[in-house]
Amino acid sequence: MKVNILVGTMTGTAQLCAQEMELALDDGETQVETLLMDQLDSSVFAREGVFLICTSTYGQGDVPDNARALFQDLGTKRPDLSRVRYGVFGLGDRTYAETFNFGGKKFDDLLTELGAKRVGERHKHDASSGIMPEETALEWCKEWLALL
Ligand SMILES: Cc1cc2nc3c(=O)[nH]c(=O)nc-3n(C[C@H](O)[C@H](O)[C@H](O)COP(=O)(O)O)c2cc1C
């Protein structure tokens, strides 16, 4: 099984979570590749394997700057993603009550619209909870892999 982790981040927290998930999942049988979303376009979803969207939220419920080009390209080209399976590990902060975790939600909604199938629930990490997201990521990704 191949897992592609796509990382949307502004200040590196989502990248840290992705690194933890790669360490936890990559055991030879499962091969993990972590890609920052910078410079990716919708063709990334033609890769072999399953996808894990690991992204934070910025602005007013927007995807981070490094995820914008990929998100827009998906929305414009609207590729058929019916063969794609994915999970979402989202990061946000409940202080932003109206737009909590919307970065992950936006990817989730768009991928579903394009025919992709989500595996498991979308994780919504809350930075105001005091819980370290990289620790949650470790547990969450093992449960996610078991569902695949
Ligand atoms: C300027 C700014 C705007 C933010 N806007 C939102 C938001 O609208 N919704 C949300 O859930 N979190 C929001 N956050 C919280 C971040 O998503 C959260 O701190 C996350 O852990 C950052 O991860 P990163 O370091 O990978 O970018 C915002 C944070 C900052 C600094």
PDB file of all heavy atoms in Angstrom, residues 8-15 56-61 91-93 96 99-102 127, ligand 1:
ATOM      1  N   GLY A   8      -0.690  20.993   3.724  1.00  0.00           N
ATOM      2  CA  GLY A   8      -0.988  22.420   3.608  1.00  0.00           C
ATOM      3  C   GLY A   8      -0.661  23.079   4.940  1.00  0.00           C
ATOM      4  O   GLY A   8      -1.247  22.730   5.967  1.00  0.00           O
ATOM      5  N   THR A   9       0.282  24.001   4.939  1.00  0.00           N
ATOM      6  CA  THR A   9       0.717  24.583   6.210  1.00  0.00           C
ATOM      7  C   THR A   9       1.205  26.009   6.026  1.00  0.00           C
ATOM      8  O   THR A   9       1.654  26.381   4.941  1.00  0.00           O
ATOM      9  CB  THR A   9       1.840  23.730   6.832  1.00  0.00           C
ATOM     10  OG1 THR A   9       2.176  24.249   8.119  1.00  0.00           O
ATOM     11  CG2 THR A   9       3.086  23.690   5.969  1.00  0.00           C
ATOM     12  N   MET A  10       1.116  26.771   7.112  1.00  0.00           N
ATOM     13  CA  MET A  10       1.644  28.130   7.079  1.00  0.00           C
ATOM     14  C   MET A  10       2.862  28.211   7.989  1.00  0.00           C
ATOM     15  O   MET A  10       3.879  28.752   7.610  1.00  0.00           O
ATOM     16  CB  MET A  10       0.558  29.091   7.567  1.00  0.00           C
ATOM     17  CG  MET A  10       0.701  30.473   7.037  1.00  0.00           C
ATOM     18  SD  MET A  10       0.094  30.581   5.355  1.00  0.00           S
ATOM     19  CE  MET A  10      -1.242  31.715   5.597  1.00  0.00           C
ATOM     20  N   THR A  11       2.746  27.655   9.185  1.00  0.00           N
ATOM     21  CA  THR A  11       3.849  27.789  10.149  1.00  0.00           C
ATOM     22  C   THR A  11       4.433  26.438  10.564  1.00  0.00           C
ATOM     23  O   THR A  11       5.130  26.347  11.574  1.00  0.00           O
ATOM     24  CB  THR A  11       3.396  28.585  11.399  1.00  0.00           C
ATOM     25  OG1 THR A  11       2.224  27.973  11.942  1.00  0.00           O
ATOM     26  CG2 THR A  11       3.075  30.023  11.048  1.00  0.00           C
ATOM     27  N   GLY A  12       4.128  25.382   9.797  1.00  0.00           N
ATOM     28  CA  GLY A  12       4.841  24.115   9.972  1.00  0.00           C
ATOM     29  C   GLY A  12       4.204  23.083  10.872  1.00  0.00           C
ATOM     30  O   GLY A  12       4.702  21.957  10.955  1.00  0.00           O
ATOM     31  N   THR A  13       3.095  23.417  11.562  1.00  0.00           N
ATOM     32  CA  THR A  13       2.491  22.433  12.473  1.00  0.00           C
ATOM     33  C   THR A  13       1.964  21.219  11.709  1.00  0.00           C
ATOM     34  O   THR A  13       2.182  20.075  12.122  1.00  0.00           O
ATOM     35  CB  THR A  13       1.341  23.074  13.293  1.00  0.00           C
ATOM     36  OG1 THR A  13       1.731  24.394  13.667  1.00  0.00           O
ATOM     37  CG2 THR A  13       1.025  22.264  14.519  1.00  0.00           C
ATOM     38  N   ALA A  14       1.288  21.472  10.608  1.00  0.00           N
ATOM     39  CA  ALA A  14       0.749  20.359   9.816  1.00  0.00           C
ATOM     40  C   ALA A  14       1.891  19.500   9.260  1.00  0.00           C
ATOM     41  O   ALA A  14       1.763  18.276   9.163  1.00  0.00           O
ATOM     42  CB  ALA A  14      -0.120  20.889   8.673  1.00  0.00           C
ATOM     43  N   GLN A  15       3.000  20.134   8.960  1.00  0.00           N
ATOM     44  CA  GLN A  15       4.153  19.379   8.437  1.00  0.00           C
ATOM     45  C   GLN A  15       4.720  18.459   9.526  1.00  0.00           C
ATOM     46  O   GLN A  15       5.080  17.309   9.252  1.00  0.00           O
ATOM     47  CB  GLN A  15       5.226  20.351   7.949  1.00  0.00           C
ATOM     48  CG  GLN A  15       6.291  19.674   7.115  1.00  0.00           C
ATOM     49  CD  GLN A  15       7.294  20.665   6.533  1.00  0.00           C
ATOM     50  OE1 GLN A  15       7.219  21.862   6.803  1.00  0.00           O
ATOM     51  NE2 GLN A  15       8.224  20.162   5.750  1.00  0.00           N
ATOM     52  N   SER A  56      -3.866  22.881   7.620  1.00  0.00           N
ATOM     53  CA  SER A  56      -4.380  23.837   8.598  1.00  0.00           C
ATOM     54  C   SER A  56      -5.362  24.788   7.908  1.00  0.00           C
ATOM     55  O   SER A  56      -5.736  24.584   6.738  1.00  0.00           O
ATOM     56  CB  SER A  56      -3.222  24.606   9.249  1.00  0.00           C
ATOM     57  OG  SER A  56      -2.517  25.364   8.293  1.00  0.00           O
ATOM     58  N   THR A  57      -5.778  25.814   8.643  1.00  0.00           N
ATOM     59  CA  THR A  57      -6.775  26.782   8.171  1.00  0.00           C
ATOM     60  C   THR A  57      -6.245  28.190   8.439  1.00  0.00           C
ATOM     61  O   THR A  57      -5.683  28.429   9.510  1.00  0.00           O
ATOM     62  CB  THR A  57      -8.096  26.609   8.964  1.00  0.00           C
ATOM     63  OG1 THR A  57      -8.502  25.245   8.885  1.00  0.00           O
ATOM     64  CG2 THR A  57      -9.189  27.513   8.440  1.00  0.00           C
ATOM     65  N   TYR A  58      -6.430  29.083   7.493  1.00  0.00           N
ATOM     66  CA  TYR A  58      -5.964  30.468   7.692  1.00  0.00           C
ATOM     67  C   TYR A  58      -6.973  31.478   7.201  1.00  0.00           C
ATOM     68  O   TYR A  58      -8.018  31.108   6.655  1.00  0.00           O
ATOM     69  CB  TYR A  58      -4.585  30.677   7.045  1.00  0.00           C
ATOM     70  CG  TYR A  58      -3.520  30.331   8.039  1.00  0.00           C
ATOM     71  CD1 TYR A  58      -3.090  29.023   8.172  1.00  0.00           C
ATOM     72  CD2 TYR A  58      -3.038  31.274   8.932  1.00  0.00           C
ATOM     73  CE1 TYR A  58      -2.183  28.667   9.137  1.00  0.00           C
ATOM     74  CE2 TYR A  58      -2.134  30.929   9.906  1.00  0.00           C
ATOM     75  CZ  TYR A  58      -1.702  29.630  10.000  1.00  0.00           C
ATOM     76  OH  TYR A  58      -0.816  29.284  10.981  1.00  0.00           O
ATOM     77  N   GLY A  59      -6.624  32.744   7.389  1.00  0.00           N
ATOM     78  CA  GLY A  59      -7.482  33.825   6.921  1.00  0.00           C
ATOM     79  C   GLY A  59      -8.854  33.683   7.530  1.00  0.00           C
ATOM     80  O   GLY A  59      -8.991  33.480   8.732  1.00  0.00           O
ATOM     81  N   GLN A  60      -9.870  33.711   6.694  1.00  0.00           N
ATOM     82  CA  GLN A  60     -11.232  33.501   7.194  1.00  0.00           C
ATOM     83  C   GLN A  60     -11.734  32.161   6.710  1.00  0.00           C
ATOM     84  O   GLN A  60     -12.554  32.075   5.797  1.00  0.00           O
ATOM     85  CB  GLN A  60     -12.122  34.645   6.730  1.00  0.00           C
ATOM     86  CG  GLN A  60     -11.589  35.963   7.274  1.00  0.00           C
ATOM     87  CD  GLN A  60     -12.557  37.087   7.063  1.00  0.00           C
ATOM     88  OE1 GLN A  60     -13.241  37.136   6.059  1.00  0.00           O
ATOM     89  NE2 GLN A  60     -12.611  38.007   8.014  1.00  0.00           N
ATOM     90  N   GLY A  61     -11.142  31.109   7.276  1.00  0.00           N
ATOM     91  CA  GLY A  61     -11.542  29.758   6.893  1.00  0.00           C
ATOM     92  C   GLY A  61     -10.969  29.326   5.556  1.00  0.00           C
ATOM     93  O   GLY A  61     -11.565  28.505   4.857  1.00  0.00           O
ATOM     94  N   LEU A  91      -6.233  20.842  10.799  1.00  0.00           N
ATOM     95  CA  LEU A  91      -5.808  21.617  11.967  1.00  0.00           C
ATOM     96  C   LEU A  91      -6.501  22.971  11.943  1.00  0.00           C
ATOM     97  O   LEU A  91      -6.646  23.583  10.874  1.00  0.00           O
ATOM     98  CB  LEU A  91      -4.294  21.835  11.957  1.00  0.00           C
ATOM     99  CG  LEU A  91      -3.450  20.570  12.106  1.00  0.00           C
ATOM    100  CD1 LEU A  91      -2.984  20.114  10.742  1.00  0.00           C
ATOM    101  CD2 LEU A  91      -2.258  20.816  13.002  1.00  0.00           C
ATOM    102  N   GLY A  92      -6.902  23.409  13.148  1.00  0.00           N
ATOM    103  CA  GLY A  92      -7.552  24.700  13.257  1.00  0.00           C
ATOM    104  C   GLY A  92      -7.571  25.134  14.708  1.00  0.00           C
ATOM    105  O   GLY A  92      -6.812  24.601  15.529  1.00  0.00           O
ATOM    106  N   ASP A  93      -8.427  26.060  15.001  1.00  0.00           N
ATOM    107  CA  ASP A  93      -8.502  26.633  16.345  1.00  0.00           C
ATOM    108  C   ASP A  93      -9.956  27.048  16.579  1.00  0.00           C
ATOM    109  O   ASP A  93     -10.502  27.854  15.805  1.00  0.00           O
ATOM    110  CB  ASP A  93      -7.555  27.859  16.385  1.00  0.00           C
ATOM    111  CG  ASP A  93      -7.401  28.412  17.785  1.00  0.00           C
ATOM    112  OD1 ASP A  93      -8.394  28.401  18.546  1.00  0.00           O
ATOM    113  OD2 ASP A  93      -6.289  28.864  18.112  1.00  0.00           O
ATOM    114  N   TYR A  96     -11.712  30.440  16.350  1.00  0.00           N
ATOM    115  CA  TYR A  96     -12.326  30.882  15.083  1.00  0.00           C
ATOM    116  C   TYR A  96     -13.601  30.050  14.893  1.00  0.00           C
ATOM    117  O   TYR A  96     -13.662  29.146  14.067  1.00  0.00           O
ATOM    118  CB  TYR A  96     -11.363  30.658  13.909  1.00  0.00           C
ATOM    119  CG  TYR A  96     -10.060  31.409  14.027  1.00  0.00           C
ATOM    120  CD1 TYR A  96      -8.969  30.851  14.692  1.00  0.00           C
ATOM    121  CD2 TYR A  96      -9.916  32.669  13.452  1.00  0.00           C
ATOM    122  CE1 TYR A  96      -7.758  31.532  14.787  1.00  0.00           C
ATOM    123  CE2 TYR A  96      -8.712  33.359  13.555  1.00  0.00           C
ATOM    124  CZ  TYR A  96      -7.644  32.784  14.225  1.00  0.00           C
ATOM    125  OH  TYR A  96      -6.451  33.459  14.321  1.00  0.00           O
ATOM    126  N   THR A  99     -15.338  29.476  11.445  1.00  0.00           N
ATOM    127  CA  THR A  99     -14.584  28.858  10.343  1.00  0.00           C
ATOM    128  C   THR A  99     -13.660  27.757  10.860  1.00  0.00           C
ATOM    129  O   THR A  99     -12.638  27.466  10.258  1.00  0.00           O
ATOM    130  CB  THR A  99     -13.715  29.914   9.627  1.00  0.00           C
ATOM    131  OG1 THR A  99     -12.863  30.547  10.606  1.00  0.00           O
ATOM    132  CG2 THR A  99     -14.554  30.959   8.932  1.00  0.00           C
ATOM    133  N   PHE A 100     -14.089  27.120  11.987  1.00  0.00           N
ATOM    134  CA  PHE A 100     -13.220  26.127  12.607  1.00  0.00           C
ATOM    135  C   PHE A 100     -12.906  24.977  11.646  1.00  0.00           C
ATOM    136  O   PHE A 100     -13.803  24.337  11.119  1.00  0.00           O
ATOM    137  CB  PHE A 100     -13.880  25.590  13.888  1.00  0.00           C
ATOM    138  CG  PHE A 100     -13.089  24.498  14.548  1.00  0.00           C
ATOM    139  CD1 PHE A 100     -11.760  24.693  14.909  1.00  0.00           C
ATOM    140  CD2 PHE A 100     -13.654  23.260  14.783  1.00  0.00           C
ATOM    141  CE1 PHE A 100     -11.012  23.683  15.498  1.00  0.00           C
ATOM    142  CE2 PHE A 100     -12.926  22.241  15.380  1.00  0.00           C
ATOM    143  CZ  PHE A 100     -11.601  22.458  15.729  1.00  0.00           C
ATOM    144  N   ASN A 101     -11.624  24.792  11.403  1.00  0.00           N
ATOM    145  CA  ASN A 101     -11.145  23.669  10.581  1.00  0.00           C
ATOM    146  C   ASN A 101     -11.654  23.676   9.132  1.00  0.00           C
ATOM    147  O   ASN A 101     -11.796  22.628   8.506  1.00  0.00           O
ATOM    148  CB  ASN A 101     -11.485  22.333  11.263  1.00  0.00           C
ATOM    149  CG  ASN A 101     -10.233  21.596  11.704  1.00  0.00           C
ATOM    150  OD1 ASN A 101      -9.532  21.031  10.875  1.00  0.00           O
ATOM    151  ND2 ASN A 101      -9.946  21.635  12.972  1.00  0.00           N
ATOM    152  N   PHE A 102     -11.924  24.852   8.624  1.00  0.00           N
ATOM    153  CA  PHE A 102     -12.473  24.946   7.268  1.00  0.00           C
ATOM    154  C   PHE A 102     -11.454  24.576   6.180  1.00  0.00           C
ATOM    155  O   PHE A 102     -11.851  24.268   5.059  1.00  0.00           O
ATOM    156  CB  PHE A 102     -13.042  26.345   7.003  1.00  0.00           C
ATOM    157  CG  PHE A 102     -14.506  26.468   7.349  1.00  0.00           C
ATOM    158  CD1 PHE A 102     -15.061  25.717   8.371  1.00  0.00           C
ATOM    159  CD2 PHE A 102     -15.323  27.344   6.648  1.00  0.00           C
ATOM    160  CE1 PHE A 102     -16.405  25.827   8.695  1.00  0.00           C
ATOM    161  CE2 PHE A 102     -16.675  27.452   6.949  1.00  0.00           C
ATOM    162  CZ  PHE A 102     -17.211  26.699   7.976  1.00  0.00           C
ATOM    163  N   ALA A 127      -6.279  23.799  18.123  1.00  0.00           N
ATOM    164  CA  ALA A 127      -5.053  24.330  18.735  1.00  0.00           C
ATOM    165  C   ALA A 127      -5.315  24.907  20.124  1.00  0.00           C
ATOM    166  O   ALA A 127      -4.401  24.933  20.957  1.00  0.00           O
ATOM    167  CB  ALA A 127      -4.445  25.401  17.824  1.00  0.00           C
TER     168      ALA A 127
HETATM  169  C1  LIG B   1      -3.940  34.502  11.144  1.00  0.00           C
HETATM  170  C2  LIG B   1      -4.524  33.170  11.493  1.00  0.00           C
HETATM  171  C3  LIG B   1      -5.784  32.818  11.016  1.00  0.00           C
HETATM  172  C4  LIG B   1      -6.371  31.595  11.352  1.00  0.00           C
HETATM  173  N1  LIG B   1      -7.638  31.304  10.905  1.00  0.00           N
HETATM  174  C5  LIG B   1      -8.220  30.139  11.304  1.00  0.00           C
HETATM  175  C6  LIG B   1      -9.579  29.845  10.919  1.00  0.00           C
HETATM  176  O1  LIG B   1     -10.238  30.602  10.230  1.00  0.00           O
HETATM  177  N2  LIG B   1     -10.118  28.671  11.358  1.00  0.00           N
HETATM  178  C7  LIG B   1      -9.422  27.771  12.153  1.00  0.00           C
HETATM  179  O2  LIG B   1      -9.981  26.731  12.516  1.00  0.00           O
HETATM  180  N3  LIG B   1      -8.137  28.040  12.517  1.00  0.00           N
HETATM  181  C8  LIG B   1      -7.518  29.191  12.122  1.00  0.00           C
HETATM  182  N4  LIG B   1      -6.232  29.457  12.516  1.00  0.00           N
HETATM  183  C9  LIG B   1      -5.513  28.459  13.382  1.00  0.00           C
HETATM  184  C10 LIG B   1      -4.503  27.576  12.618  1.00  0.00           C
HETATM  185  O3  LIG B   1      -5.128  26.821  11.610  1.00  0.00           O
HETATM  186  C11 LIG B   1      -3.853  26.617  13.641  1.00  0.00           C
HETATM  187  O4  LIG B   1      -3.099  27.385  14.549  1.00  0.00           O
HETATM  188  C12 LIG B   1      -2.964  25.561  13.004  1.00  0.00           C
HETATM  189  O5  LIG B   1      -2.520  24.648  14.009  1.00  0.00           O
HETATM  190  C13 LIG B   1      -1.750  26.136  12.293  1.00  0.00           C
HETATM  191  O6  LIG B   1      -1.090  25.100  11.609  1.00  0.00           O
HETATM  192  P1  LIG B   1       0.149  25.363  10.613  1.00  0.00           P
HETATM  193  O7  LIG B   1       1.318  25.767  11.479  1.00  0.00           O
HETATM  194  O8  LIG B   1       0.389  24.034   9.958  1.00  0.00           O
HETATM  195  O9  LIG B   1      -0.228  26.400   9.619  1.00  0.00           O
HETATM  196  C14 LIG B   1      -5.641  30.673  12.190  1.00  0.00           C
HETATM  197  C15 LIG B   1      -4.375  31.029  12.654  1.00  0.00           C
HETATM  198  C16 LIG B   1      -3.815  32.259  12.328  1.00  0.00           C
HETATM  199  C17 LIG B   1      -2.450  32.617  12.889  1.00  0.00           C
END
